[in-house]
Amino acid sequence: MPSSSQLAATLIVRDEARSIARCIASVRPWVDRVVVVDTGSTDGTAEIAARAGAEVHTFQWCEDFSAARNHALACADADWHLVIDADEWLQSGGEALRRFVAGPQRLGTICIDSSFTAGGEAGSGRSWITRLLPRGARYQGRIHEQVVSPLERRRIDVVFGHDGYEDAQMGRKRTRNRTLLMLDLAERPDDPYLAFQLGREAEGRQDVAEACDWYARAADAPAGSGWLHELTTRRLQCLGRAGRLDAALALADDAIPRWPDSPDLFFVVGNLLLDRAISDPAQAIETWLPLATGAWERCLEIGERPDLEGSVAGRGSHLARRNLDMVRGQMAALAA
């Protein structure tokens, strides 16, 4: 390896036979060791991981992801730890990992490109998550655990694919996630990040009214919270789906000055304006549809912004173009 610092990939797993070999194979060329902590698999995950070259340890599951993550870090006890999940795989950036660990102590944030299904259509969204940790950094939180460290966080040009949000994989996670989030909320009732994650969980269950309530509670987060962009776009979508268009458009007016170069924001605003056109046909042609097309045109002007937390691929390109073509075709037909 080009760096004298030892880099260990660490995973906590349970019943991940579907994807564990893919994950390990993707990172093995770039790390010194792969350390897998199994929390109770019954599908041969541990055996597959061992055959793929990982060191396999066990941990008694205690309804706490941070406890399991921290156990994996202790088992690895390396200079640096690349924390990954079994349903992820390295797409690009192995060289950047090695360059990063050759430098001083800080936290590395990498891009997770997650595929998902929504409304019967496939898509992908991107999040930036702290995953490269020097020795001594640890996690807190039962679920959606966060790294606790005073060290600087810096983005690395590393991308992992992730298919754990697809419908086939999400079914077994939803009930578990909500239970753990509510346990954390009982201890930290004013934590806006927990409210944000509970909003996402409610949105995944298609309960948009509940999601709106949680997202409103999360809106009091500190200005520097990295997930505020995603919170805003998700909240706008849920308000629109709940029929609260006035509230959604008012929120959009406040959000645009904050993120004037977000294709995700303008894409969602365009959709809201289209909904307004449908609910107010008398003003549709003269007011709402031109505003909607203007919002999607702005998406194309900005282009893709994978650096924005929670950005969805295509909102700065083909998805905006599709909406423009659809609405312009309808407007032309009405004018004929």
Side-chain angles (χ1 to χ4, degrees):
M1 288 292 179
S3 169
S4 59
S5 294
Q6 187 185 74
L7 172 60
T10 68
L11 300 84
I12 58 171
V13 301
R14 184 173 186 176
D15 292 336
E16 298 286 0
R18 175 189 69 89
S19 58
I20 185 70
R22 175 187 65 183
C23 175
I24 293 172
S26 75
V27 299
R28 278 196 67 189
W30 305 106
V31 301
D32 299 287
R33 299 158 57 211
V34 178
V35 176
V36 170
V37 170
D38 189 88
T39 64
S41 296
T42 59
D43 66 349
T45 294
E47 292 78 10
I48 295 170
R51 289 197 298 270
E55 305 170 22
V56 179
H57 303 259
T58 59
F59 179 78
Q60 182 66 43
W61 180 243
C62 59
E63 306 296 333
D64 189 324
F65 278 89
S66 283
R69 292 276 192 212
N70 292 336
H71 182 74
L73 293 172
C75 289
D77 192 29
D79 299 312
W80 292 88
H81 304 97
L82 174 64
V83 179
I84 51 179
D85 290 332
D87 53 10
E88 298 171 348
W89 65 97
L90 180 63
Q91 290 185 338
S92 64
E95 301 90 343
L97 287 174
R98 298 308 308 191
R99 287 194 299 270
F100 191 87
V101 301
Q105 284 206 342
R106 66 265 197 238
L107 303 173
T109 303
I110 67 176
C111 181
I112 308 296
D113 189 359
S114 300
S115 56
F116 60 83
T117 49
E121 294 189 8
S124 66
R126 292 154 297 203
S127 299
W128 290 86
I129 304 178
T130 301
R131 293 291 193 84
L132 194 54
L133 319 179
R135 179 184 275 114
R138 289 295 186 266
Y139 282 90
Q140 73 173 14
R142 285 186 178 86
I143 189 168
H144 300 298
E145 57 279 9
Q146 300 289 293
V147 179
V148 180
S149 172
L151 294 173
E152 173 193 9
R153 297 173 195 247
R154 185 168 302 177
R155 288 189 177 187
I156 318 172
D157 190 15
V158 174
V159 179
F160 272 80
H162 172 230
D163 60 9
Y165 288 156
E166 295 181 3
D167 286 345
Q169 277 66 255
M170 278 302 295
R172 65 189 177 98
K173 299 178 181 179
R174 288 195 174 105
T175 300
R176 176 205 68 190
N177 290 0
R178 181 176 177 80
T179 298
L180 296 181
L181 284 166
M182 294 306 293
L183 287 171
D184 269 351
L185 190 72
E187 296 176 0
R188 306 196 306 276
D190 298 322
D191 188 327
Y193 183 71
L194 292 176
F196 170 58
Q197 292 296 347
L198 281 161
R200 291 185 59 182
E201 185 276 331
E203 193 177 351
R205 290 187 283 107
Q206 306 301 313
D207 190 337
V208 294
E210 182 181 335
C212 287
D213 292 341
W214 286 119
Y215 287 151
R217 287 179 61 172
D220 291 332
S225 302
W227 41 271
L228 279 176
H229 175 264
E230 182 178 0
L231 166 65
T232 302
T233 56
R234 285 182 174 273
R235 188 180 177 193
L236 286 171
Q237 288 182 113
C238 285
L239 286 169
R241 291 173 59 196
R244 298 171 58 186
L245 284 175
D246 288 340
L249 291 172
L251 176 62
D253 285 340
D254 291 336
I256 288 172
R258 187 169 189 177
W259 290 288
D261 296 314
S262 166
D264 296 86
L265 179 56
F266 281 98
F267 183 86
V268 174
V269 169
N271 290 351
L272 293 171
L273 291 164
L274 177 60
D275 290 342
R276 175 62 85 204
I278 294 169
S279 67
D280 184 14
Q283 296 296 318
I285 297 296
E286 291 187 3
T287 304
W288 304 120
L289 291 179
L291 288 172
T293 57
W296 294 321
E297 287 168 350
R298 177 63 182 142
C299 295
L300 297 177
E301 291 173 1
I302 298 168
E304 294 291 292
R305 287 289 308 275
D307 57 303
L308 290 173
E309 181 70 23
S311 66
V312 174
R315 285 179 170 172
S317 56
H318 66 274
L319 295 178
R321 174 60 61 190
R322 181 194 65 184
N323 284 7
L324 278 169
D325 291 344
M326 174 191 69
V327 170
R328 284 171 175 164
Q330 292 175 345
M331 292 174 69
L334 289 172

